[in-house]
Amino acid sequence: MTLSSRRCAAWWGCGRVIGAALLLAVAVVLGGLTPRAWAGGPRFVTGTTFWWAQSGQPMPFYTSSPTYYTDPGDLNPNVTHAQADALVAAAAATWNVPMSSLMLTQGGALNEHVSSANTYFDGTQMVFPADVSASNAPNKPIAVIYDTDGSVIDTLMGQGASSPSGCRQTGAVESVDQFGEDGKIDHALIILNGRCVGSNPQQLLQMQYLVERAFGRVLGISWSQLNDNIFTGASPVPAGEIDYWPVMHPIDVLCSSYSYQCMTNPFQLRPDDISALSFLYPVTSSNLTPGKVLTAQNATYLAGDVLFPTGQGMAWTNIVVIRQLQGHASLEPWEIASGVTGFQYQQNGGNPVTGPEPDSANAGTPWTPAESRFTIQRVPNDYVENLFMVTEAINPLYVGEYAVGPYQRPPAAPSGSQRVMVDWSAVAGSGAYYVQTMDDAASSCSPGADGSQTQPAAADPTGWWTGLLCSTGHTSWWSAAVKAGRSWTVEVTALDESGAATMRKAQPVIGVWHSGDSGLPTVASQAVPMNTIAAGVTQLRIPAATAAGTYTLAVADQFGAGRPDFAYKARLLYADSVFPSRVSSAGGLILIAGEGFRQGNTVKVNGITATVIGWTANQIVARTPTMAAAGATAGFGVDVTVTDPATGGWTTISSGLTYTRAGPNVVRLVSAPTALVTGVTASTALGVRVYQTDGTTPVVSANVRMGVTAGSASLGSCGGGTSCVLQTDATGLAQTKVMGVAAGAVTLAATELTGGASVQVNLTDTDTQRSLVIQNGPVYVAAGATLSWTLQALAMDQGSGAAGVPVAWTAGQGLTLGTGANTTTDANGGTAMAVGANQLGAGSPTVTACAWTTVCSSWTVNAVDASRWQVAATTGAGQSVRLGTDFLPVTLQVSDNAGHPLQGAPVTVYQTVDAWEGGCAEAGRCPASPVLATQQTTAITDANGKVTITPLQVAGIPQTVNIVAVTGTTGFVSLSLVRTP
């Protein structure tokens, strides 16, 4: 079976093949005011490549009364046909609930027992008996196969797939294998693995559980993430929470021999399952039948958008709902329902590296508002309750066959801190629509001047640069010139907002073209992201060409996505030349020029490791092995290779170095300082002359490496660094000034690179008794905060305050200094500097002050990631006062998980005032409390990590004030204040 002009019919993944028109029309109105999107929970959505009127539409079965047909054979020698039919019927019955129009029933039997005798793979697809195949969908829409010996599953999935050791995965195998021209499911199969069931009753219940979940999948329901701590173990499981863990959770926990035993009432749908089911198969006034109730009855509908500050939708965010029932002071200790943002949005837009989106990946609508949209069809509500919609990241394990929603890509982690949207006093039968802008999320969608395919931007000459894939469909284009005989590597590292490598943002792919080429990559491509041992790194190796050329490089997201937090760091690892290109048979120092180098890179000559002496982004100095050790022959070129062990990237210069049998040049010391003083440049320079082997003829333009090989000093001709390569003048002289940096022994060396001849100078650096101290202590702040401080520093010389001393200030990433970077000490040796931070990213940047050039002191700002923020009430909690008495202010303190108070943390406070109704009766329901007032405010913590809240009050009546405070991604506290008569 293949795709035809009328139907999609493929064994695996066909649900992501469906297409439709370009635009999605959302015009349903909830309550006459708010636009209503489709509900969460669909496994499949229509795409743009075929003929349906709307793309991005969830895809249920074509009928709300689908029938299944079972295999007439036994499941295995221990489980009869009747027993198998009974467990399948029990699994199917789980999905027949009053709130959904679905009625799943058995329609009869298949015409034959399905086995390897009548099922086979024809080299392209699986071939089943005629009445089991998708072509028979109108008559038997769901075929249930009893694979007695596992041979059907082995044919389908590979030999050994039916092994009893894998029954959690292959106990019940399902597939939706055909969709109709109306954008709905036409046909599906469920295969029961007979090797997974014996006479043990628990094995039969386990098979029933697996079939129950398989029915959910073929009905078009996706996995959902709700109460995920039951799976992850990230937090304790409170009593009763297991009752709200969805049947359609993605991955089972390993709590016993049988996974159904990990759930209470495993054959009863949870509210989240019912929400997804009732969206696909709703009960409305037009299809209400006996035994069914309206989907909206005793429930609340929720929908909304989650946005970046730029206004772009933040897809791939999970939304969970927590209830506070009317008359209860605290929230329920579990999540009740869920939805995901962007489930209708285009799942794969294609990219220039792999080409346009293939039909097999087409799903979702390109209509941009769908990127932000989430919908939760049904939150149980039998009267009035407060509903808290909390944003959270999707578990990175939930990808591929375990994906929540119709997601094809690994979900990107949300940007910004966790947020809560509150539907205060939600009334049963109503709905609400919320828009949440994540104002501390990535806020720029400016990719910079990264060119186009016809006019790419020049890659940075260091071989390192950063970029941003924003907005949707954006591709970065760069150019690079490469000499003949050079192999090279392109690497792209996906970054999060803090600049750290990540697997959970952009999924970079790389393409390389000859300059001026069009179409798909003409040189090389890496179409699968994250293909290295290094986190977040996509790598493409390009072999050496016979001619020099200019190349065009492209960086794109694998799925054509783009948003403000899709940053990346690109690297071109390229060795351009070796100097000198000839060394003596004894070996010598060489300088490899190129780009993209870094500490830890290794060098090999003819496959033998050389000793790396020093490096910059554009140069590596290395000592070659001897000609004998390298296995080289005099006069014949050998390869020089630079490798990065951290990523596996490499670059090679073919025949880049030649060994000779000539003797080395002679190096003689001309001048050198006798001693050094910290912070003072010596009056005598370090100088050497290079002579030919005769010892008298100067060598002009010889390369001499000047370096500090022990101790601390700086070299003037090296820009204040500790190592560089200088060329001799017409007299064979190379020299540099030297300044002491720290007290102690210092060794200076000068080495001629061609033959390796070297001289060495040993001397001592003495330090005067000088000090500089920044007197402020370190601070702890909330990442993303905008703050300022004034630092006080004191300079001392020989025990007294040093007046009139220049102090140079430098600030780490994310910090800014006041006007000017230099100050001068006052008469007492004191000085001050204003320091600011604007939306400081997580990390520990420092401010450094230096006097006398080398006497320095540092101050640190510890910016704590939002995932580590905690909030607690320090004063004012638990108040209970009489009528006529005002509540006292409530003080909250935000700290990190080590107990440090955090300055600059935003705390969102939700308050609601309920009329006081007294206690609950011993029997029956608590009285409903009318809501008198609500308020939402945001405060920023002070230097002690504290904010003060004035309780919301309604004068003159008894009341209960409920306060909920949220900060960071996990910080949460709730409390209640009571005013009694």
Side-chain angles (χ1 to χ4, degrees):
M1 295 178 289
T2 60
L3 288 176
S4 69
S5 62
R6 300 291 292 173
R7 283 182 168 78
C8 161
W11 176 253
W12 293 113
C14 192
R16 305 183 191 230
V17 178
I18 307 308
L22 289 176
L23 297 178
L24 168 68
V26 177
V28 180
V29 175
L30 177 64
L33 294 174
T34 52
R36 177 177 179 180
W38 291 100
R43 180 185 180 188
F44 309 115
V45 295
T46 56
T48 61
T49 56
F50 290 131
W51 48 84
W52 291 292
Q54 295 178 336
S55 57
Q57 300 304 293
M59 303 172 68
F61 231 95
Y62 71 89
T63 174
S64 61
S65 302
T67 52
Y68 66 87
Y69 292 76
T70 60
D71 193 306
D74 294 336
L75 182 52
N76 64 31
N78 297 308
V79 181
T80 67
H81 169 77
Q83 288 175 300
D85 272 9
L87 76 83
V88 171
T94 304
W95 295 97
N96 297 328
V97 295
M99 293 75 77
S100 165
S101 63
L102 179 81
M103 285 300 297
L104 179 61
T105 57
Q106 183 173 7
L110 301 175
N111 293 348
E112 63 285 296
H113 175 54
V114 181
S115 69
S116 57
N118 51 29
T119 302
Y120 60 93
F121 182 69
D122 68 359
T124 303
Q125 59 187 358
M126 288 290 293
V127 178
F128 291 91
D131 73 314
V132 178
S133 69
S135 61
N136 196 37
N139 301 311
K140 295 180 179 178
I142 303 175
V144 180
I145 297 171
Y146 299 156
D147 188 8
T148 302
D149 57 3
S151 61
V152 176
I153 291 175
D154 285 345
T155 303
L156 173 67
M157 304 178 67
Q159 194 62 38
S162 66
S163 170
S165 63
C167 285
R168 284 180 184 265
Q169 290 74 40
T170 60
V173 176
E174 55 77 20
S175 174
V176 175
D177 63 343
Q178 181 166 285
F179 297 84
E181 61 187 34
D182 56 355
K184 295 181 179 180
I185 299 170
D186 267 1
H187 189 265
L189 301 97
I190 299 176
I191 307 174
L192 279 60
N193 186 349
R195 299 182 68 190
C196 292
V197 186
S199 56
N200 187 329
Q202 286 83 5
Q203 290 177 323
L204 291 171
L205 288 173
Q206 174 69 10
M207 179 61 74
Q208 180 180 331
Y209 171 75
L210 295 176
V211 174
E212 170 190 39
R213 283 161 55 87
F215 269 124
R217 298 289 279 172
V218 302
L219 292 171
I221 298 172
S222 77
W223 305 123
S224 67
Q225 177 176 304
L226 191 77
N227 299 306
D228 205 42
N229 58 301
I230 295 174
F231 170 66
T232 64
S235 62
V237 178
E241 184 179 25
I242 191 69
D243 292 333
Y244 295 90
W245 195 35
V247 169
M248 296 303 287
H249 58 267
I251 303 175
D252 277 325
V253 294
L254 300 176
C255 68
S256 68
S257 300
Y258 303 103
S259 54
Y260 80 89
Q261 295 172 332
C262 303
M263 300 186 70
T264 58
N265 301 317
F267 305 110
Q268 178 178 324
L269 296 186
R270 276 38 174 188
D272 191 59
D273 301 311
I274 296 172
S275 177
L277 180 67
S278 60
F279 158 64
L280 290 173
Y281 306 94
V283 180
T284 66
S285 57
S286 63
N287 66 354
L288 182 63
T289 58
K292 298 293 184 178
V293 298
L294 296 175
T295 294
Q297 182 173 317
N298 294 332
T300 297
Y301 166 89
L302 298 173
D305 297 290
V306 177
L307 305 170
F308 283 94
T310 61
Q312 181 176 350
M314 190 180 295
W316 314 303
T317 300
N318 200 50
I319 310 294
V320 297
V321 180
I322 303 172
R323 298 187 303 183
Q324 182 184 27
L325 303 182
Q326 192 73 11
H328 292 69
S330 60
L331 281 68
E332 289 182 333
W334 50 71
E335 299 158 356
I336 190 73
S338 68
V340 287
T341 61
F343 69 95
Q344 296 169 264
Y345 192 60
Q346 177 176 274
Q347 293 295 307
N348 189 344
N351 62 76
V353 176
T354 59
E357 176 184 15
D359 285 350
S360 60
N362 189 290
T365 175
W367 189 59
T368 54
E371 189 173 11
S372 61
R373 193 65 43 83
F374 73 89
T375 310
I376 301 170
Q377 178 74 16
R378 193 178 193 281
V379 180
N381 181 1
D382 61 359
Y383 186 56
V384 176
E385 59 196 25
N386 298 327
L387 302 177
F388 295 81
M389 291 162 279
V390 184
T391 63
E392 66 178 17
I394 294 173
N395 189 321
L397 294 177
Y398 299 159
V399 296
E401 63 180 302
Y402 301 116
V404 299
Y407 295 151
Q408 293 181 19
R409 67 176 297 127
S415 181
S417 55
Q418 189 175 53
R419 296 304 170 88
V420 179
M421 295 163 276
V422 186
D423 187 6
W424 297 108
S425 300
V427 178
S430 68
Y433 190 91
Y434 289 85
V435 177
Q436 176 66 62
T437 297
M438 311 290 273
D439 51 21
D440 63 344
S443 58
S444 172
C445 195
S446 301
D450 53 6
S452 61
Q453 185 167 15
T454 55
Q455 293 183 317
D460 192 284
T462 65
W464 298 90
W465 67 94
T466 57
L468 180 67
L469 297 177
C470 191
S471 56
T472 300
H474 182 80
T475 298
S476 293
W477 297 92
W478 307 95
S479 66
V482 176
K483 292 180 180 177
R486 275 69 170 167
S487 63
W488 44 294
T489 299
V490 181
E491 293 176 350
V492 177
T493 305
L495 305 177
D496 63 17
E497 295 90 329
S498 69
T502 180
M503 307 287 285
R504 302 192 59 197
K505 294 292 186 180
Q507 301 292 303
V509 293
I510 307 169
V512 177
W513 292 254
H514 291 292
S515 180
D517 288 353
S518 59
L520 295 178
T522 54
V523 176
S525 65
Q526 177 54 52
V528 178
M530 319 298 190
N531 64 325
T532 73
I533 57 175
V537 178
T538 303
Q539 182 185 92
L540 175 60
R541 300 173 180 175
I542 297 91
T546 57
T550 300
Y551 296 88
T552 297
L553 320 177
V555 179
D557 180 78
Q558 179 187 11
F559 299 89
R563 61 187 216 179
D565 58 345
F566 275 19
Y568 68 86
K569 177 185 287 184
R571 177 194 194 186
L572 179 61
L573 180 55
Y574 167 61
D576 181 84
S577 58
V578 178
F579 197 88
S581 60
R582 301 172 70 86
V583 296
S584 72
S585 59
L589 293 182
I590 58 172
L591 184 148
I592 305 170
E595 52 190 284
F597 303 145
R598 65 176 173 183
Q599 186 176 16
N601 288 175
T602 61
V603 174
K604 288 188 176 182
V605 175
N606 206 32
I608 304 302
T609 300
T611 302
V612 174
I613 306 299
W615 66 275
T616 67
N618 294 107
Q619 294 182 346
I620 294 179
V621 177
R623 186 181 301 280
T624 70
T626 65
M627 183 172 71
T633 302
F636 290 88
V638 294
D639 294 348
V640 177
T641 300
V642 177
T643 302
D644 189 337
T647 64
W650 51 262
T651 175
T652 295
I653 304 176
S654 299
S655 300
L657 184 68
T658 303
Y659 284 91
T660 70
R661 294 192 180 280
N665 291 329
V666 177
V667 178
R668 293 175 182 164
L669 182 67
V670 174
S671 62
T674 58
L676 297 175
V677 176
T678 301
V680 178
T681 299
S683 58
T684 303
L686 172 65
V688 297
R689 272 198 173 88
V690 180
Y691 298 92
Q692 294 182 8
T693 55
D694 59 12
T696 59
T697 305
V699 179
V700 181
S701 299
N703 288 277
V704 179
R705 180 180 180 272
M706 298 288 197
V708 181
T709 59
S712 298
S714 66
L715 306 180
S717 297
C718 299
T722 60
S723 176
C724 64
V725 175
L726 306 178
Q727 287 191 329
T728 58
D729 61 16
T731 68
L733 176 67
Q735 62 180 354
T736 179
K737 291 288 188 177
V738 185
M739 183 179 70
V741 171
V746 177
T747 301
L748 308 176
T751 306
E752 194 272 328
L753 294 184
T754 301
S758 180
V759 296
Q760 179 173 294
V761 177
N762 297 308
L763 59 163
T764 301
D765 180 352
T766 57
D767 192 1
T768 59
Q769 295 180 15
R770 292 171 172 171
S771 66
L772 178 71
V773 176
I774 296 177
Q775 297 173 307
N776 304 66
V779 296
Y780 291 80
V781 304
T786 297
L787 299 166
S788 62
W789 306 268
T790 299
L791 302 187
Q792 303 288 338
L794 179 64
M796 303 288 289
D797 189 0
Q798 311 302 320
S800 300
V805 177
V807 178
W809 299 78
T810 57
Q813 185 175 8
L815 301 178
T816 58
L817 300 175
T819 303
N822 298 297
T823 59
T824 302
T825 59
D826 60 20
N828 298 314
T831 187
M833 174 59 72
V835 177
N838 185 15
Q839 295 184 340
L840 186 63
S844 298
T846 60
V847 173
T848 301
C850 293
W852 302 288
T853 305
T854 58
V855 180
C856 302
S857 178
S858 295
W859 170 80
T860 303
V861 180
N862 299 286
V864 180
D865 185 76
S867 63
R868 296 171 55 198
W869 303 356
Q870 300 176 347
V871 61
T874 58
T875 62
Q879 297 182 56
S880 179
V881 301
R882 291 287 187 179
L883 186 64
T885 303
D886 287 341
F887 293 115
L888 297 175
V890 175
T891 302
L892 304 177
Q893 184 174 54
V894 178
S895 60
D896 65 11
N897 52 7
H900 301 112
L902 296 183
Q903 182 180 0
V907 180
T908 302
V909 180
Y910 306 90
Q911 297 192 61
T912 179
V913 180
D914 297 339
W916 184 78
E917 295 289 348
C920 296
E922 291 185 5
R925 184 163 149 181
C926 290
S929 302
V931 176
L932 305 177
T934 64
Q935 182 185 78
Q936 176 180 337
T937 58
T938 299
I940 305 298
T941 57
D942 61 18
N944 297 312
K946 293 183 178 181
V947 296
T948 299
I949 301 168
T950 300
L952 181 64
Q953 304 180 55
V954 177
I957 61 174
Q959 58 198 263
T960 299
V961 180
N962 299 305
I963 301 175
V964 174
V966 179
T967 189
T969 59
T970 59
F972 188 93
V973 67
S974 65
L975 52 104
S976 296
L977 314 180
V978 179
R979 179 186 291 157
T980 59

